[in-house]
Amino acid sequence: MPANESAPPVKKKGRRARLIVLVLVLALFAGLGYGAYWGVDGVRASFPQTTGSLKVPGLTGTVDVKRDAHGIPQLYADSDADLFRAQGFVHAQDRFWEMDVRRHMTSGRLSEMFGSGQVETDAFLRTLGWRQVAQTEYDKKLSDETKKNLQAYADGVNAYLKGKSGKDLSVEHAALELSDSYRPEEWSPVDSVAWLKAMAWDLRGNMQDEIDRALMSNKLTQAQIDELYPPYPFDRNKPIVEGGKVEGGKYAPQGAGGTGTGTGTGTGSGTVPGAQPGANGTPTGLAGNATAQGAAVGLRTQLSSLAETLDEIPAILGPNGSGIGSNSWVISGKYTTTGKPLLANDPHLSPQLPSVWYQMGLHCRAASAQCQYDVAGYTFSGTPGVIIGHNTDIAWGMTNLGADVTDLYLEQVKPEGYVYDNKVLPFTTREEVIKVAGGDSKKMTVRMTNNGPLVSDRSDELASVGARAPVASSAPDRGSGYAVALRWTALEPGKSMDAIFKLNKAKDFTEFRKAAADFEVPSQNLIYADAKGPNGGNIGYQAPGRIPVRGAGDGRMPAPGWDSKYAWKTGKDGATEYIPQNELPWDSNPSRGYIVTANQAVVESGTGAGKYPYTLTTDWGYGARSQRINDLIEAKIKDSGKISTDDMRTMQMDNSSEIAALLTPMLARIQVSDPDVRSAQKLLEGWNYTQEPDSAAAAYFNAVWRNILKLGFGDKMPKELRIEGSCVNVPADSSGPADELAEVVRECGTRDADSAQPDGGDRWFEVVRRLVKDEKSPWWQSPAVRNKPAATTRDELFARAMEDARWELTAKLGKDQSTWSWGRLHQLTLKNQTIGTEGPGYMQWLLNRGPWNLGGGEATVNATGWNASGGYGVTWVPSMRMVVNLNDLDKSRWINLTGASGHAYNGNYTDQTTMWAKGELLEWPFGKEAVDKATVDTLTLEPDGS
């Protein structure tokens, strides 16, 4: 239950009351007369018209916009152009502030809205060049049909914007207009394409792990780093696809059948990469004969600076690291109560206000060559089409595949260019001008190598990257230091926007796989279901994506950019080689009767029999969530033989903790003398390891887990990975041996709370699982602190963690354990992006909502993530939940994190959040009769006659 519930949905009396409150507050802050006018007029004027009719330029026929009690619209039109024009109009009605901020972010123009504080962020994003790539995609890659849809969508947005002032668009635009006379420009099709780059950025793979491993090497040996990045436990946690193989240039699933094989398209020769990780999944060396540890020492300061820069980039989809993920699974009709497949999905992303998702239906009144869509699901405001959902024939879901599609390269730079195979090549450059609201414009030059843009140019510290890095003797002279370039698949033009429209129209598994072949960036696990055929329908899986084939190196550490052996492979035509689409893993109607994807390994790679010949990544999620879902499904099938829609919902809310099941019995056996600590320890007796929001045992266990990680691992991390303000004593000369007589200094962490280590995700589950049997592992040693003796064994460290946890919770929740609960620690606060995060305090108070007390936690199926280094607050969440019933689509269910509206004080701003927190799902009408029954407001969009 939330500690501070939002108002109920769509009650005009409630709306009026909230307006009065807003008026009073704004009057206090802005002056009685002026504040009252701005409050009422600014808030009410921006609410969308949802009944009656409106003239929209460009429409060729009428479009009905039918909204239910939660403001979720279903659109009905007679042509594709009218449908997408109306989608743009309606998105802008509810979410234009979100859209406007997003397009400024993706093009590196936040400074135009928010001033000089965003210049560094803009400079980094301009260096990546998202907008330029999106423009090239639109000009040269996308189909004519996709371009027409994008243009129609943009026309709809612009029809909404025409003639409106800031207060007509949103309270945020009103505030911005008052402060800086800001007026939004027209929407363009490229604005929509660029948004997919932001999506790709936050799902980019192992870039943060690559940085962190290099930073760790300053204090840890390679063997220690290996212990903190253990190999995937294939013996315990199942991969997504089992038993398939690549034959004759195609991937062949084990025993698949019934849905058709389809055909994929893709480039690449199919050559198996020459450099695989070592037997334990660890890197073989940064520069051939140089150790990864030695090379990374020289990168410490530079990569730390890059990590800080990454933290400053808006996390549109959430923090990137071991925590981020998603769940999806699909069950054959053989094992469902409906006799047809059931499909569930809940992507785990950053908690946004409004939610990154917008629920919507797009319907052609009659199918024809001019009107091809009948689809509903979750959309992105600013982008046409449906990203996740179902049409009349198929349903699909997505989770992050986590493929390694980014590499950092050290570059040896000279005044005239950069070194490559003993030659000096000229940089490719472009000039950029960053306009700054209220200030002077900033000029910058972007420098590009054949390994990508120099991201080190955006920081004074990064300008000397690699200055001390020991590398192979054959490396070029370091001069003034090495720079850092970023190679990333999303910086090359692709066709992902084509894939969205193809998915929306797909009628079977063959068409689904063809659509997936165009879903190049970001690489996602795509699951599938339909209700066709004699066996209750079909289920399937496809791993799409543009995934590079590497030369030397394995992508785990920064590579030497001056040596062509480490470049991504190219074909005879000079084009980059990617794993051919036909050879990417897929599955169809597996004999087990279900498919689960939750960021675990897709397949087991290697050179032996039954191994996949390509390396997709070595930084998978470790399978805690996926295996729990597998176990829940198998237990339900064994118990009753059938799974219902409500069973799927119950699984989505499963709060069981794998690490608690492992450690709690050990904690319960430890001898504790302090009566207060013993009292807390007794909370764990009989606990079933579920993290319900009212559980005192869950609160105490998670506090113990956090302190185990801090004492065992966090205090041993370099400062660049520890949370800002976390201080430990270290030898004054950190390069020499530490002993009792060594001079010590106080060293404090510098990492942002959302990305500090150890974060407590399922990688740390696996680390502790492997170490916990060794009671005298050096990791369990912790020095004496104040009146606490040194810990020299596992149980001694666990005892200290239990004591520290007791007093931490006493400080946070009070001494009376009967008042403790996990939800009081583990709270979600929804923050309106930009102004609600960094704006004036009173604007944050007006725009933000919460907190809600949540259950769940790290690596549980109900994945309400928190960073164990940063605290207990919720940092990422199931951003939506859905269960699609292929037997009767009108009996499908869905929920959003917030609501349809992006307007503060609109009744649909956060009207779904309390239901979401409880695990409830809304009805999801799809057919015309069901939609009409649910409709409370109808708006007719009409041609204006022009």
Side-chain angles (χ1 to χ4, degrees), residues 179-467:
S179 65
D180 196 47
S181 301
Y182 172 83
R183 296 295 297 271
E185 63 196 36
E186 286 195 342
W187 193 265
S188 80
V190 181
D191 291 332
S192 297
V193 178
W195 164 233
L196 292 183
K197 300 303 171 188
M199 179 182 176
W201 174 254
D202 283 309
L203 302 175
R204 63 192 177 273
N206 76 335
M207 183 174 171
Q208 193 68 58
D209 288 325
E210 190 174 338
I211 292 171
D212 287 354
R213 279 189 287 262
L215 293 172
M216 285 179 184
S217 65
N218 180 64
K219 291 189 71 172
L220 305 177
T221 67
Q222 187 61 53
Q224 289 173 316
I225 295 172
D226 292 346
E227 287 184 303
L228 301 185
Y229 287 88
Y232 185 87
F234 286 100
D235 59 334
R236 190 176 68 257
N237 296 341
K238 296 177 182 178
I240 297 172
V241 177
E242 299 177 85
K245 56 184 176 180
V246 174
E247 288 184 323
K250 292 184 178 181
Y251 184 84
Q254 182 183 52
T259 64
T261 60
T263 57
T265 59
T267 59
S269 66
T271 303
V272 177
Q276 295 286 342
N280 64 347
T282 59
T284 55
L286 177 69
N289 61 357
T291 66
Q293 177 193 0
V297 170
L299 291 172
R300 179 187 185 196
T301 301
Q302 294 77 14
L303 289 178
S304 175
S305 179
L306 177 58
E308 291 171 3
T309 302
L310 301 185
D311 284 339
E312 293 171 359
I313 296 174
I316 295 297
L317 295 182
N320 184 274
S322 67
I324 193 167
S326 301
N327 300 323
S328 72
W329 64 94
V330 59
I331 300 177
S332 166
K334 177 181 178 182
Y335 294 118
T336 68
T337 58
T338 66
K340 300 290 184 180
L342 295 173
L343 184 150
N345 197 187
D346 54 284
H348 306 157
L349 305 171
S350 177
Q352 307 275 317
L353 182 57
S355 165
V356 70
W357 301 109
Y358 183 97
Q359 296 147 293
M360 179 178 270
L362 302 172
H363 307 278
C364 289
R365 293 189 180 101
S368 69
Q370 290 72 40
C371 204
Q372 307 171 75
Y373 295 86
D374 195 1
V375 60
Y378 294 87
T379 70
F380 287 145
S381 301
T383 301
V386 170
I387 307 299
I388 295 174
H390 70 80
N391 59 29
T392 53
D393 296 294
I394 75 166
W396 69 95
M398 297 183 190
T399 64
N400 193 24
L401 191 151
D404 186 358
V405 295
T406 58
D407 279 337
L408 295 175
Y409 283 91
L410 305 182
E411 301 288 354
Q412 208 274 337
V413 173
K414 294 182 176 293
E416 63 274 23
Y418 61 99
V419 176
Y420 190 73
D421 282 349
N422 299 314
K423 298 178 181 178
V424 178
L425 304 180
F427 291 110
T428 301
T429 63
R430 69 173 186 273
E431 302 299 318
E432 297 275 359
V433 177
I434 299 174
K435 297 179 181 179
V436 181
D440 296 332
S441 297
K442 308 292 183 182
K443 294 182 180 180
M444 59 175 283
T445 300
V446 177
R447 299 191 294 174
M448 302 277 294
T449 73
N450 54 10
N451 289 316
L454 288 185
V455 290
S456 54
D457 281 354
R458 303 283 70 86
S459 164
D460 291 339
E461 288 180 298
L462 284 169
S464 61
V465 74

